[in-house]
Amino acid sequence: MPRNQRNQRNQEDEIMLSDIWRVMVALCDYRAWWRKLTGRPLVDVVFITNLRDEAERERFFGHRVPVLGHADGPRIYQNGVAGRVRGIYSTAAEMLTKEGRRLARAQFISACEWAEHNGAKVVLLAASTKRLFGRDGAILKERFPNLLFTIGDNGTAQMLWVDVERALRNAKLDQRNARILLIDPYGPEGACLARRLLQAGYRVVAWSSNETALADIQADTGMEITSRLEDAGQVDAVVTCTHSAAARLGVYGVTRLRHSHRKLLVIDAAEPASLDIDAYAICLDEVVRQDAGKAYSCQLHYVLGGWSRRLLMLSRGVVFGGYAEALSLYQAIHQLGQHELAQMDWFEVDCPRLNQIGTVLTYAGFEPPAPACFGKRVEDFDLAYANRPMTAFTPMSGNTLPMMASVRD
């Protein structure tokens, strides 16, 4: 069979599987049925997201445009809290245009109306929706005063710091000698991480194509900066602090940055990944890579379990840090009565909020997951390098089902 016919057949199979998955999720969600029978809200927390690209839209929606402009994704339960992904019918690329953003805002608002109608109290702005309504989300807050909105960055940043600290320790990189590259650290998460690493005594260099932002962070922290990857020199570890397509690590970055006699430690919180699965397969003998920014709870469950988890490339009990923040805020406010948290602005990311959300996550039963790379456990952090034949890499998921960008925060 010609390649184009095989690709078309594979796409048709993916669409069919996605339809089957969606139907099975709805039928097997016994918790939702019980909530209806007992008069409880259908959902408590809704994670609203865009789609990553056209291929993902086809896999998730098939050839049907959702009537409301949005539709259900994976369903998650943790400690009695019902969370649900709600995907809007817009891709990240479309949202870069003026008309695309206008349409995405309308879809997002409609999804908020759906969330409020079904009883939700907390809404997460996931993936590229974070800045659809400005840096403070004032329009959303005014229109939906009964909903608490969060961008989830405090939860992601808190888990990212734990991941970085543990990975550096596991790789036996000490503060006096290790040199660490941060990719695009001028955002709130990256800035907090940079300060913590500098305070811990590490030598840190920031790389970004945004020279103005680099100058600002250098003035703020005094850290070394570069706008050219070629000028960064050799480093022991790389931490990604951005989802920007203009700041990807890739195979080229690994080759330029690692010491000739050592593997490069890559702590990757970006989505799409800064060192994506195809690039990783090429240079896996030259790196130790770890996913970052996620959280684990033994009380967290996906409807359809492994089937749903695999399309997120996540392990049992693992969820993205922003999702964990939203679930934990609902539990703290509506189950434990910590109503002062509802008065805080969760569009802001700073050290006081990081400390606060760290406590909230702990009370909710979240902790750092075991180190993993594309859902597969990382057992060895030894950076000693030895030339040897390419090792085959098979991720936890074959990725034959739709994967929504939303679930990558």
Side-chain angles (χ1 to χ4, degrees):
M1 182 183 296
R3 179 178 297 179
N4 61 340
Q5 292 183 9
R6 288 200 304 270
N7 291 339
Q8 182 178 358
R9 180 64 179 272
N10 289 336
Q11 290 175 354
E12 291 173 353
D13 289 344
E14 287 180 357
I15 292 171
M16 181 181 68
L17 284 172
S18 70
D19 289 340
I20 294 172
W21 172 79
R22 187 177 294 105
V23 171
M24 291 297 294
V25 165
L27 291 175
C28 296
D29 189 2
Y30 66 87
R31 297 178 183 87
W33 293 109
W34 181 247
R35 279 173 166 258
K36 282 187 175 182
L37 289 173
T38 56
R40 298 177 61 194
L42 182 65
V43 291
D44 302 314
V45 180
V46 175
F47 319 109
I48 303 179
T49 181
N50 58 280
L51 295 161
R52 184 172 58 183
D53 52 29
E54 288 292 342
E56 186 168 82
R57 173 151 63 192
E58 185 170 282
R59 288 195 300 271
F60 189 78
F61 290 105
H63 302 297
R64 295 177 300 277
V65 178
V67 175
L68 298 176
H70 48 88
D72 278 343
R75 305 183 186 195
I76 303 168
Y77 292 88
Q78 196 260 346
N79 278 340
V81 181
R84 187 174 301 189
V85 174
R86 195 75 180 173
I88 63 174
Y89 195 71
S90 293
T91 66
E94 289 172 341
M95 292 166 61
L96 295 176
T97 68
K98 182 177 180 180
E99 179 59 25
R101 288 182 66 82
R102 185 200 64 77
L103 179 60
R105 289 191 193 100
Q107 293 168 344
F108 193 100
I109 288 174
S110 177
C112 288
E113 292 171 346
W114 179 92
E116 189 172 50
H117 176 75
N118 285 282
K121 297 296 183 183
V122 178
V123 169
L124 172 71
L125 289 81
S128 300
T129 70
K130 292 181 182 181
R131 300 305 180 194
L132 269 180
F133 300 92
R135 299 197 66 85
D136 59 3
I139 296 173
L140 284 177
K141 295 171 186 176
E142 182 178 354
R143 181 157 184 168
F144 300 98
N146 296 321
L147 294 178
L148 175 65
F149 292 95
T150 177
I151 59 174
D153 281 359
N154 286 287
T156 300
Q158 180 66 19
M159 289 300 171
L160 175 59
W161 167 245
V162 175
D163 284 328
V164 169
E165 189 177 39
R166 181 178 58 184
L168 295 174
R169 184 172 62 251
N170 288 343
K172 297 181 172 57
L173 295 176
D174 65 84
Q175 293 93 326
R176 292 172 298 174
N177 301 314
R179 189 165 182 262
I180 302 170
L181 176 75
L182 302 184
I183 299 180
D184 271 8
Y186 52 81
E189 295 176 36
C192 287
L193 177 63
R195 293 189 189 95
R196 285 180 164 181
L197 286 170
L198 290 167
Q199 290 169 1
Y202 289 99
R203 294 184 296 153
V204 183
V205 55
W207 167 53
S208 174
S209 59
N210 189 330
E211 296 187 5
T212 300
L214 280 179
D216 289 342
I217 197 169
Q218 184 181 49
D220 185 37
T221 65
M223 67 189 297
E224 182 183 351
I225 61 172
T226 180
S227 60
R228 285 170 43 87
L229 190 63
E230 294 82 357
D231 297 334
Q234 275 66 55
V235 298
D236 300 284
V238 173
V239 184
T240 66
C241 305
T242 181
H243 306 305
S244 171
R248 299 281 176 81
L249 179 61
V251 177
Y252 175 78
V254 171
T255 303
R256 297 290 304 190
L257 294 170
R258 78 173 184 86
H259 294 283
S260 60
H261 62 290
R262 289 172 63 80
K263 296 180 183 180
L264 181 68
L265 176 63
V266 178
I267 306 164
D268 198 346
E271 178 48 44
S274 188
L275 183 65
D276 66 29
I277 195 165
D278 294 327
Y280 175 69
I282 294 172
C283 62
L284 63 89
D285 285 326
E286 299 176 354
V287 300
V288 173
R289 183 192 176 281
Q290 178 188 324
D291 302 320
K294 300 175 178 64
Y296 167 81
S297 169
C298 63
Q299 298 298 321
L300 188 139
H301 304 281
Y302 291 86
V303 176
L304 288 190
W307 194 356
S308 294
R309 284 189 284 106
R310 278 192 292 271
L311 52 82
L312 310 183
M313 297 183 78
L314 293 173
S315 306
R316 183 187 298 273
V318 175
V319 73
F320 297 93
Y323 286 51
E325 175 182 319
L327 292 166
S328 299
L329 283 173
Y330 178 89
Q331 182 176 342
I333 296 167
H334 298 283
Q335 293 182 347
L336 302 179
Q338 298 179 19
H339 299 293
E340 67 278 6
L341 295 174
Q343 307 305 315
M344 297 180 67
D345 184 358
W346 295 104
F347 275 68
E348 292 291 330
V349 182
D350 54 29
C351 289
R353 286 176 177 79
L354 280 173
N355 294 332
Q356 181 72 66
I357 208 64
T359 301
V360 170
L361 288 167
T362 299
Y363 273 122
F366 283 105
E367 60 184 346
C373 176
F374 297 113
K376 186 175 181 179
R377 183 75 174 265
V378 179
E379 302 286 356
D380 187 4
F381 279 83
D382 185 4
L383 300 182
Y385 178 69
N387 285 306
R388 58 183 183 275
M390 180 66 68
T391 304
F393 171 73
T394 303
M396 187 183 72
S397 169
N399 231 13
T400 58
L401 288 174
M403 186 183 304
M404 300 184 67
S406 59
V407 293
R408 321 268 200 130
D409 210 13

